[in-house]
Amino acid sequence: MRYLPQWLSCVLTVPAGLLFGGAGSTLAADLAPPPAPVIEAPALPSWTYRFTPYGWLTALNGTQTIRGRSVKVDASFADIVEKSDTLVALMGDFEARNGPLSLFTDVVWSKIGFDGGNIRSRTLAPGVTGTLATSLSLDIEMAIVEVGAAYEVYRTGPLAFDVLAGARYWHQSADLSLAVAGAVSTADLDVVGARAIAHSGSVDWVDPMIGGRIRYTVAPGHELLLRGDIGGFGLGSDFSWQAIGAYGFELGTYQGVTFSGVIGYRALYVDYVQGEGRQRYQFDMLQHGPVLGISARF
């Protein structure tokens, strides 16, 4: 038998060890299953909030009846500002949105006075005797509070459509001043000097409402909104409707709050009646005019 030189035996032995030891370990490592990928849970929608204080430059057209005495009201916003003794208003809108769901509320409080140039005597209610006195002035204090929810039911590209439902609460208190010389019966009126004043007292009611709105993103930071609703259905008022068109445009962001300007037009009509004869109160009125506001979203 031949014997290999010692140096050649070492050379042959070392590669064999590498082949079956080190290389085998490398192959086993290559065949090991890869680590499972980390799957992050999708981010849940979060609530966003928008508050919009605004001014509604309101005109009024319709009929106001207090204690059976009715007057026709026809006053533009310019007339109200120029001729009324009182013009106070506070208005604001708030909306919270989470994905397709949003909750909203809107508050309008106003105290408006009219003189004889914007109102005129109209009719007496059945059961009220005598002639109707010349109208001198009308003062209306009014609060309107809307609460409701909207849900996005359709979206395609920049266009989204929401359905909405809620309720609209009304509070009113009105005083109608008439000339005593023209009135035969003043038993239910307060007479002050040459005036007889009909007080409505506090009048409150709630209208259910349903409607829809369209939101259209014209460009980044620019949105057009159209909204319409109907309500009352004899459960509060006989009938009411509302139509709003508004355009919002971003002004900038400060400390995480995005501010936008809002311009638009709003019209709100209601026909509410309670009582008969000397107790009859009716507010059959259309309020309409431009809307200007600043929106803060956070």
Side-chain angles (χ1 to χ4, degrees), residues 223-247:
E223 184 179 62
L224 175 66
L225 181 143
L226 301 174
R227 171 185 162 176
D229 65 69
I230 57 175
F233 313 114
L235 301 176
S237 65
D238 288 343
F239 184 68
S240 68
W241 61 262
Q242 180 173 227
I244 301 173
Y247 186 82

Side-chain angles (χ1 to χ4, degrees), residues 14 46 77 96 101 113 121 139 179 181 183 186 196 207 211 222 228 232 267 272 277-278 287:
V14 172
S46 59
F77 178 75
L101 174 68
S121 301
D139 296 293
T186 60
D207 284 342
H222 293 252
Y272 174 79
R278 295 180 186 275
Q287 305 174 69

Side-chain angles (χ1 to χ4, degrees), residues 18-29:
L18 291 175
L19 175 61
F20 296 105
S25 299
T26 303
L27 181 59

Side-chain angles (χ1 to χ4, degrees), residues 162-187:
D162 302 334
V163 294
L164 60 89
R168 185 179 295 120
Y169 164 75
W170 296 76
H171 164 80
Q172 293 184 352
S173 178
D175 295 333
L176 175 62
S177 176
L178 305 169
V180 174
V184 173
S185 175
T186 60

Side-chain angles (χ1 to χ4, degrees), residues 60 73 75 80 84 112-116 118-119 136-140:
L60 279 81
V73 179
I80 296 173
S84 71
I112 303 173
F114 306 89
D115 65 11
N118 302 120
I119 58 175
L136 295 179
S137 65
L138 173 65
D139 296 293
I140 304 174

